Amino acid sequence: MTISNRNQFKMQAVDIIVDLEQHDIILDDNGDMLIGPSDTQERQMLMLCGKGDLYRYPTTGVGITEYIGAITEKTQLYDIINQQLHNDGKQQKATE
């Protein structure tokens, strides 16, 4: 990433971009790791990771796949998601 590209990411989280389906780092045409806005990626990873999946942050994560087919109130799941977003410093609230 060149210095001139950094200004376009001001006020956004910037990180190495990962293909969450392939579990692989995305490379640009030169074979370098792709760096870009990562807010959406961070939210997706927070939803997919369950508690205990992250060694350094054992209480972080929603583990959304555990709720597939589960009998859970929507508001309970929204509360869990909103708490995790809040703990991670995200401002967005989960809604229907």
Side-chain angles (χ1 to χ4, degrees), residues 21-65:
E21 291 181 13
Q22 299 294 321
H23 304 287
D24 201 6
I25 295 171
I26 298 177
L27 303 177
D28 65 13
D29 294 336
N30 297 324
D32 297 326
M33 290 181 278
L34 186 63
I35 296 174
S38 61
D39 285 335
T40 301
Q41 174 176 285
E42 291 173 11
R43 285 181 174 85
Q44 289 172 335
M45 292 178 83
L46 190 62
M47 296 301 115
L48 292 173
C49 289
K51 291 188 182 352
D53 288 349
L54 303 172
Y55 174 75
R56 292 184 67 191
Y57 307 101
T59 61
T60 298
V62 173
I64 198 76
T65 57

